[in-house]
Amino acid sequence: AVAAALAEHGPFDGLLGFSQGAALAAMVCALRARGDPRFPVAFAVLVAAFASRAPAHGHFYREPIALPTLHVVGDTDAVIAAPLSRELAQCFVEPVVLTHPGGHFIPAAAAQKKAYLEFLERFCPGQGQ
């Protein structure tokens, strides 16, 4: 379904996933890093992400995932505990990890906006604001 949505509504430069959506987006990143042509994205922003514990999904995390990612982790997230998000980040090659003092939401304070822009600037240089 994800591949069909990307094909129908794309092209997209990157993925943004939150919570369960971020868990799915991480698996899409693994497929993309392996060269799967259904997912032509260059990066992902994963907020409150975690690795699926389903045994059938273990293969997604066996090899380091070589796709640029920004992992947004809430220090007081009571839904997806911060260690789960950090554990997933370690499955990626050179992940950028942004922590915030809040919980289970997409933070939008000035400091986080600056970090988002700095990360996205790598993929759209010169676009700035």
Side-chain angles (χ1 to χ4, degrees):
V2 174
L6 288 172
E8 182 180 343
H9 301 289
F12 296 98
D13 295 322
L15 294 175
L16 167 65
F18 174 72
S19 197
Q20 289 179 329
L24 175 62
M27 291 186 271
V28 170
C29 289
L31 292 170
R32 171 66 181 112
R34 295 176 194 166
D36 191 318
R38 296 174 297 169
F39 308 105
V41 295
F43 65 89
V45 177
L46 306 175
V47 184
F50 59 95
S52 171
R53 299 288 193 230
H57 296 161
H59 68 94
F60 288 109
Y61 314 105
R62 286 195 190 109
E63 298 174 22
I65 302 168
L67 191 78
T69 47
L70 172 62
H71 299 258
V72 183
V73 180
D75 286 333
T76 59
D77 191 332
V79 178
I80 304 300
L84 293 176
S85 292
R86 289 190 187 96
E87 176 185 293
L88 175 65
Q90 294 308 306
C91 295
F92 287 81
V93 176
E94 298 182 22
V96 176
V97 179
L98 169 64
T99 60
H100 65 92
H104 196 66
F105 59 86
I106 300 174
Q112 288 92 33
K113 287 179 183 176
K114 182 175 187 267
Y116 300 150
L117 289 172
E118 287 173 1
F119 178 77
L120 295 172
E121 176 75 16
R122 295 166 48 185
F123 309 99
C124 235
Q127 298 300 308
Q129 313 299 313

